[in-house]
Amino acid sequence: MAALPVTRLTVLRAHRFTARRTLRLLQLHALTGIHLTLVCHRPHLPAALHQALHTADYSVTANFEAARRHYYGTPIAEPPPADEPAWPASRWLTLPALDRLVSYDSPRPCADPCTPPPIVWRHRTPPAPLTPPTAQRVAHRLHTATAHPRLAAAVATALFTGASLQQLATARLGDYDDAAATLALHDRARYTDGCAAYPVPPWAGIFLRAAACFTRLVSGEDQELLAAPGDRAHLLRVAETARLRPPQPPAARRQGPVGRVEWDWCERQEAERYEAMPTSRVGPSRR
């Protein structure tokens, strides 16, 4: 609500709410400043709702036309229709930027203060920016797939950084600069391209702002801004629910049943190429 920003919330069948649930909605109203409308399908307020509203500043509208004027203003304006996605929601979006989401690298957060420079792609190819139509589809699907701000932001961040889950987990609240539209990820051991600040595209900024708001509410500065390393299964489930996946192996190379997303195909390819290299090219190990 804070990130989009959502300014109105309408709850139907509010007469069925307990006093506790109504108080939770009133706390949400106080926290976000949202315009809260409770619709009771009864001629009178039930006791639980009346009790919860006792200390709130509210008004009751019983006339239907008065309610419409209260909600839409005068003259009555119908809400605009929602944008429909161009592609059917059941169709997979195959995105190469997700190739390394389950990579075996293991960056860790920086223990000391760190102000990373802008990313310089030395060891990896930068992920191709999403086209505006694809970015719109991705954002729409993430909004639909989950209400968890961190998981949604982690998937979005993977798409513009090409980072692994381990590296996404290095981001803290102070690493996101909303004004500069940058996000810092850390990798002091240089498994990839080191500690670096990535530009945040506008379509992904909404998810990062939501994650930042959520982190301020529930934790301290040292809490992960995005998904934690232990959230791997949850993160992949969100991506699959949104029908987002990395490129898949050909049918003859699949290791799982048809229909299951294989997230480690890129890693397997690299491992196979490394194992096929002559020993002389790999070089002796150092002790």
Side-chain angles (χ1 to χ4, degrees):
M1 289 179 176
L4 283 175
V6 175
T7 59
R8 290 177 178 267
L9 175 63
T10 301
V11 183
L12 302 181
R13 299 180 179 84
H15 61 278
R16 302 181 64 178
F17 275 15
T18 62
R20 178 178 175 274
R21 288 188 178 276
T22 306
L23 286 173
R24 294 291 299 273
L25 277 174
L26 294 177
Q27 291 170 353
L28 179 67
H29 162 72
L31 180 67
T32 64
I34 198 167
H35 184 280
L36 179 62
T37 301
L38 304 179
V39 180
C40 292
H41 306 262
R42 293 290 185 275
H44 304 287
L45 294 182
L49 186 57
H50 189 272
Q51 176 187 349
L53 292 172
H54 182 68
T55 58
D57 181 13
Y58 71 97
S59 62
V60 176
T61 302
N63 179 272
F64 184 72
E65 290 304 322
R68 287 176 66 91
R69 288 194 297 272
H70 170 74
Y71 192 80
Y72 293 120
T74 305
I76 297 172
E78 295 296 334
D83 291 334
E84 293 293 332
W87 283 8
S90 60
R91 183 172 178 179
W92 285 98
L93 280 176
T94 300
L95 304 166
L98 296 176
D99 265 340
R100 295 188 176 276
L101 188 59
V102 296
S103 175
Y104 302 125
D105 59 19
S106 55
R108 296 182 179 180
C110 289
D112 301 322
C114 176
T115 306
I119 179 66
V120 177
W121 302 92
R122 295 188 180 92
H123 305 296
R124 293 179 294 158
T125 303
L130 302 184
T131 64
T134 301
Q136 183 179 11
R137 294 186 194 109
V138 167
H140 182 273
R141 291 184 181 199
L142 286 177
H143 282 302
T144 304
T146 182
H148 198 301
R150 284 180 175 161
L151 294 177
V155 176
T157 301
L159 290 173
F160 68 83
T161 63
S164 67
L165 171 59
Q166 289 91 335
Q167 191 172 21
L168 295 176
T170 66
R172 299 294 184 265
L173 184 59
D175 291 317
Y176 173 57
D177 188 334
D178 189 25
T182 59
L183 174 69
L185 299 179
H186 300 273
D187 179 19
R188 183 157 290 183
R190 302 191 69 84
Y191 286 96
T192 54
D193 286 300
C195 301
Y198 298 77
V200 178
W203 69 267
I206 291 173
F207 298 101
L208 268 297
R209 285 193 292 274
C213 292
F214 183 75
T215 303
R216 292 189 191 98
L217 286 173
V218 301
S219 59
E221 293 287 329
D222 195 46
Q223 180 67 35
E224 292 91 351
L225 175 66
L226 308 174
D231 289 331
R232 171 176 167 146
H234 303 299
L235 186 64
L236 299 186
R237 187 177 303 117
V238 166
E240 292 182 18
T241 301
R243 309 294 281 179
L244 308 176
R245 66 181 182 184
Q248 296 296 287
R253 303 289 301 279
R254 294 191 63 85
Q255 292 189 348
V258 175
R260 192 183 75 181
V261 177
E262 296 197 14
W263 288 93
D264 62 345
W265 169 236
C266 177
E267 294 289 308
R268 295 199 334 248
Q269 282 183 298
E270 292 188 356
E272 291 170 2
R273 285 196 295 267
Y274 183 81
E275 291 174 356
M277 291 175 60
T279 306
S280 58
R281 291 189 60 185
V282 174
S285 61
R286 295 182 179 180
R287 296 187 179 183

